[in-house]
């Protein structure tokens, strides 16, 4: 049993900040890449950011300079610091990770249930 649980979503004004967290729990041998996706109403799910086990990061162009992804390997947790938020950032944000539950099995892609971020005045 492996799961990801997001937290930190909510309502924020344009220009404000929010920090999302996603904690992995259950049987975990190793976690490789972790990332964040988002989905706005009527839109396709969009990749936002990722971070490798070694700490290398990548972002979609629309959030570069505003969002920062980080991770705490000891806590099996990935974070997304969101600054200078815009109304177009409004979406359900999902955590994603490649998790290896045992040394003798391969990695499995795991998704969280999502947390809603609403950017509005």
């Amino acid at each position: 049993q492996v799961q990801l649980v997001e937290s930190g979503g909510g309502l924020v004004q344009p220009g404000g900040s929010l920090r999302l967290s996603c904690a992995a729990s259950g049987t975990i041998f190793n976690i490789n890449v972790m990332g964040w996706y988002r989905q706005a109403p009527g839109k396709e799910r969009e990749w936002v950011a990722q971070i490798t086990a070694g700490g290398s990061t990548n972002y979609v162009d629309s959030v570069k300079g505003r969002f920062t992804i980080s991770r705490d390997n000891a806590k099996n947790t990935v974070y997304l610091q969101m600054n200078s938020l815009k109304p177009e950032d409004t979406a359900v944000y999902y955590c994603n990770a490649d998790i290896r539950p045992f040394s003798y099995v391969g990695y499995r892609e795991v998704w969280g249930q999502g947390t809603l971020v609403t950017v509005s005045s």
Side-chain angles (χ1 to χ4, degrees), residues 6 36-40 42-48 92-96 111-114:
E6 302 97 336
W36 290 94
Y37 292 71
R38 65 186 181 186
Q39 187 168 24
K43 303 288 186 178
E44 293 289 316
R45 186 171 296 190
E46 173 191 34
W47 171 78
V48 176
V92 176
Y93 283 71
Y94 298 90
C95 176
N96 169 268
W111 290 86
Q113 294 299 306

Side-chain angles (χ1 to χ4, degrees), residues 21-93:
S21 298
C22 174
S25 63
T27 304
I28 301 171
F29 175 76
N30 192 56
I31 302 177
N32 197 355
V33 66
M34 304 183 81
W36 290 94
Y37 292 71
R38 65 186 181 186
Q39 187 168 24
K43 303 288 186 178
E44 293 289 316
R45 186 171 296 190
E46 173 191 34
W47 171 78
V48 176
Q50 71 169 40
I51 183 167
T52 68
S56 297
T57 61
N58 287 290
Y59 303 89
V60 67
D61 286 344
S62 61
V63 309
K64 287 181 179 177
R66 300 189 298 119
F67 290 11
T68 302
I69 187 171
S70 61
R71 65 192 287 170
D72 185 334
N73 292 328
K75 297 180 179 180
N76 292 326
T77 300
V78 63
Y79 307 92
L80 186 67
Q81 178 66 47
M82 304 183 294
N83 299 325
S84 301
L85 284 162
K86 305 174 180 179
E88 50 262 45
D89 294 318
T90 296
V92 176
Y93 283 71

